[in-house]
Amino acid sequence: QVQLVESGGGLVHAGGSLRLSCAAPGSISSINAMGWYRQAPGNQRELVTSIDHNGLTRYADSVKARFTISRDNAKNTVNLQMNVLKPDDTAVYYCAADTIWTIRNVSPFWGQGTQVTVSS
């Protein structure tokens, strides 16, 4: 199964920043949307943000004005800049990619997940 390659994440104090990156292998063609889900212990996986091939972005209300997604279409990479982090942002973050305009729970391509921990 083809997987996306994630990097970044880690431990940070509340109010700090982290940057996540994700790359799709060259063997994946026709990618449209890329983005991030996250899952905290005991919670369902939730959509954090996505960006389509034209740069149209979506954000969960809980991260608007704090998180910024960007991508490089030529390299099939996506980045997530996370600022003013809160303890509630603590979760495993999963990169996803899809052939349609948004990522979904059933998107065909996923990363392995990276832990983000925000201490109070």
Side-chain angles (χ1 to χ4, degrees):
Q1 183 179 3
V2 177
Q3 280 197 319
L4 309 178
V5 179
E6 300 174 8
S7 60
L11 173 64
V12 67
H13 291 298
S17 298
L18 285 173
R19 183 178 177 87
L20 305 181
S21 296
C22 173
S27 58
I28 300 178
S29 62
S30 302
I31 284 180
N32 188 334
M34 299 185 76
W36 301 86
Y37 274 81
R38 68 185 181 186
Q39 187 167 22
N43 290 355
Q44 292 187 337
R45 187 175 295 188
E46 63 170 342
L47 176 66
V48 178
T49 179
S50 68
I51 182 169
D52 74 5
H53 198 267
N54 294 316
L56 182 65
T57 58
R58 300 169 63 201
Y59 293 95
D61 288 342
S62 60
V63 306
K64 283 180 180 177
R66 299 188 298 119
F67 290 12
T68 302
I69 189 171
S70 60
R71 70 183 286 173
D72 183 330
N73 287 336
K75 297 180 179 179
N76 266 352
T77 58
V78 63
N79 297 306
L80 179 61
Q81 179 65 41
M82 304 183 292
N83 298 327
V84 196
L85 282 161
K86 304 175 181 180
D88 284 349
D89 295 318
T90 296
V92 177
Y93 284 69
Y94 297 91
C95 180
D98 211 311
T99 57
I100 66 170
W101 64 276
T102 185
I103 57 172
R104 305 165 284 170
N105 276 316
V106 294
S107 286
F109 309 112
W110 290 87
Q112 76 282 6
T114 186
Q115 178 69 45
V116 171
T117 303
V118 184
S119 63
S120 57

